[in-house]
């Protein structure tokens, strides 16, 4: 391939601009299909490990690469924004009167922040390409809004590798990266794929409370607390309730124990992701009182809002049942009469557990 000085210069400036708008990582990958990625996805779906996330199966054939979705793409760009926490996400494990919310959901909705930065970067790129005589340029940006496999793209573009917990791991940012993607008609030079640096470590595998990893690099979402508390709409299966502890939205355990996190700096995280005081260690008693209006007020601008009050209170009732705190019995008893049958069932389970704790 003949090098184009104007294109190379633009690519270098794009890396700088990405950092300026808040991205901690950027990498470039070829736009073609990745047969290995497609095969792994097909096997995961065939095994039913996606649970009720039917959107993963829909249009699965276009997840194998940028050109599978958009034939005109000439480059795929992966970007990562740090949300490294300042404190240990597992420190609330023994605080049974408190609820644990995943680090990523304690601040502002990352979809909004990452998408805004992507759009700023896209506008800049179009303008710079035109000024350099490389236009007209077309591009598309994504943040969980299309069938784009951001984690494999992150590995292919060199910003990290998919660890044994199936999430992207960065040598500089650990497991704390929100991912975005950009497809463009500009033929940027690809970076080298990142090599796997998990080695013999199995920390993430052994940390999982519900044994959601049937093997390294494989996740059965149906057993994952993040899936159960966020995506799963029905009653929480009995076999996972006690293991959930006081986790009410997501789970950070497999991420938090990754040794590569020691290199991540919380100061580098986008300020939009700093935890809101009322979500860092909320009291279960307060959360159990939420009606729909109160839920919407509390979680305005939060990714938690999308699961709705009923699913959220269901999760809080499981945590209450695990708390051993008899002071929560009255609220559990009251919620047994909730209009939502899933909430009422969880309340009955929690009340039974709390009555035993009160004896």
């Amino acid at each position: 391939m003949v090098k184009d000085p104007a294109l190379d210069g633009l690519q270098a400036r794009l890396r700088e601009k990405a950092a300026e708008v808040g991205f901690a990582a950027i990498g470039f990958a070829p736009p073609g299909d990745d047969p290995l990625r497609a095969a792994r996805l097909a096997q995961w779906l065939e095994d039913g490990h996606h649970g009720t996330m039917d959107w993963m199966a829909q249009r699965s054939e276009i997840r194998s690469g940028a050109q599978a979705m958009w034939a005109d793409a000439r480059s795929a760009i992966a970007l990562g924004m740090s949300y490294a926490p300042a404190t240990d996400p597992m420190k609330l494990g023994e605080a049974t009167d408190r609820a644990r919310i995943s680090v990523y959901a304690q601040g502002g909705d990352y979809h909004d922040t990452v998408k805004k930065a992507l759009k700023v970067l896209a506008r800049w790129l179009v303008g710079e390409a035109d000024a350099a005589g490389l236009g007209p340029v077309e591009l598309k940006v994504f943040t969980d809004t299309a069938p784009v496999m951001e984690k494999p793209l992150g590995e292919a573009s060199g910003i990290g590798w998919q660890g044994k917990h199936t999430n992207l791991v960065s040598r500089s940012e650990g497991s704390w990266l929100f991912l975005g993607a950009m497809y463009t008609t500009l033929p940027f030079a690809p970076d080298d794929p990142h090599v796997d640096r998990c080695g013999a470590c199995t920390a993430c595998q052994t940390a999982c409370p519900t044994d959601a990893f049937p093997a390294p690099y494989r996740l059965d979402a149906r057993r994952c607390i993040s899936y159960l508390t966020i995506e799963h709409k029905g009653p929480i299966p009995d076999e996972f309730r006690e293991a959930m502890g006081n986790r009410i939205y997501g789970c950070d355990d497999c991420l938090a124990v990754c040794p590569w996190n020691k290199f991540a700096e919380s100061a580098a995280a986008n300020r939009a992701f700093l935890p809101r005081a009322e979500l860092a260690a909320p009291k279960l008693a307060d959360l159990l009182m939420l009606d729909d209006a109160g839920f919407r007020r509390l979680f305005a601008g939060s990714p938690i809002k999308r699961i709705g009050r009923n699913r959220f209170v269901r999760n809080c009732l499981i945590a209450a049942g695990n708390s051993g705190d008899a002071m929560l019995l009255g609220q559990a008893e009251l919620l047994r009469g909730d209009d939502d049958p899933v909430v009422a069932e969880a309340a009955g389970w929690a009340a039974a557990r709390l009555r035993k704790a009160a004896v």
Side-chain angles (χ1 to χ4, degrees):
M1 179 182 295
V2 178
K3 281 186 170 292
D4 183 337
L7 185 63
D8 290 347
L10 178 59
Q11 186 169 0
R13 296 198 304 278
L14 179 57
R15 294 183 193 273
E16 296 174 353
K17 186 65 177 181
E20 181 183 315
V21 301
F23 289 105
I26 179 173
F28 299 80
D33 288 355
D34 182 340
L36 179 59
R37 180 193 311 181
R40 287 175 174 172
L41 174 61
Q43 186 62 58
W44 187 69
L45 293 170
E46 184 179 335
D47 292 340
H49 287 171
H50 60 304
T52 58
M53 294 184 291
D54 294 336
W55 45 268
M56 286 297 301
Q58 295 167 1
R59 304 171 72 198
S60 61
E61 71 281 357
I62 66 174
R63 294 181 182 271
S64 59
Q67 288 179 337
M69 175 191 295
W70 183 31
D72 292 336
R74 294 296 177 267
S75 300
I77 307 171
L79 298 113
M81 194 172 282
S82 173
Y83 69 105
T87 59
D88 181 3
M90 300 176 72
K91 70 176 184 178
L92 289 177
E94 303 302 318
T96 54
D97 66 323
R98 303 281 172 164
R100 293 169 68 181
I101 293 174
S102 184
V103 169
Y104 88 86
Q106 292 180 22
D109 192 334
Y110 75 93
H111 296 90
D112 298 335
T113 302
V114 175
K115 178 60 75 68
K116 181 179 179 180
L118 284 171
K119 289 182 176 180
V120 169
L121 198 60
R123 288 193 294 269
W124 177 90
L125 181 57
V126 169
E128 289 291 303
D130 185 61
L134 296 168
V137 174
E138 294 183 66
L139 50 82
K140 301 179 187 293
V141 298
F142 312 99
T143 308
D144 290 348
T145 55
V148 175
M149 296 180 69
E150 290 96 342
K151 291 180 285 187
L153 175 58
E155 181 171 285
S157 66
I159 68 173
W161 70 97
Q162 272 195 273
K164 292 179 180 178
H165 51 25
T166 75
N167 289 285
L168 199 73
V169 185
S170 162
R171 294 180 68 183
S172 59
E173 311 302 329
S175 292
W176 312 112
L177 280 177
F178 288 132
L179 301 176
M182 181 184 297
Y183 294 169
T184 177
T185 53
L186 287 167
F188 288 122
D191 292 312
D192 292 330
H194 206 296
V195 298
D196 187 320
R197 294 186 178 274
C198 284
C201 179
T202 59
C204 61
Q205 309 289 285
T206 56
C208 181
T210 52
D211 294 324
F213 300 104
Y217 308 103
R218 292 181 60 196
L219 171 69
D220 185 345
R222 299 168 299 181
R223 302 184 63 88
C224 175
I225 291 176
S226 287
Y227 168 83
L228 293 168
T229 56
I230 299 172
E231 302 294 343
H232 181 67
K233 296 180 180 179
I236 301 292
D238 287 345
E239 64 180 302
F240 304 126
R241 294 187 179 191
E242 188 170 347
M244 284 173 57
N246 60 347
R247 302 170 187 84
I248 62 165
Y249 189 92
C251 178
D252 292 315
D253 291 23
C254 67
L255 303 178
V257 299
C258 179
W260 286 98
N261 289 336
K262 65 185 176 184
F263 298 107
E265 296 184 16
S266 61
N270 192 298
R271 294 189 62 82
F273 308 138
L274 292 177
R276 290 163 46 182
E278 65 272 27
L279 301 184
K283 293 182 178 180
L284 276 170
D286 294 339
L287 299 178
L288 289 170
M289 296 173 61
L290 292 174
D291 57 12
D292 187 65
F295 172 83
R296 290 176 178 275
R297 283 194 300 272
L298 179 60
F299 295 110
S302 165
I304 298 175
K305 185 178 179 180
R306 80 177 183 87
I307 71 169
R309 175 264 179 189
N310 293 343
R311 213 182 310 175
F312 182 79
V313 172
R314 172 204 65 182
N315 299 341
C316 294
L317 283 163
I318 301 300
N322 289 328
S323 72
D325 184 355
M327 297 293 290
L328 299 176
L329 177 57
Q331 289 174 290
E333 293 282 14
L334 184 64
L335 286 166
R336 291 178 65 189
D338 195 87
D339 291 340
D340 184 87
V342 175
V343 171
E345 186 278 332
W349 180 86
R353 300 257 298 184
L354 292 170
R355 282 194 293 271
K356 289 181 180 179
V359 174

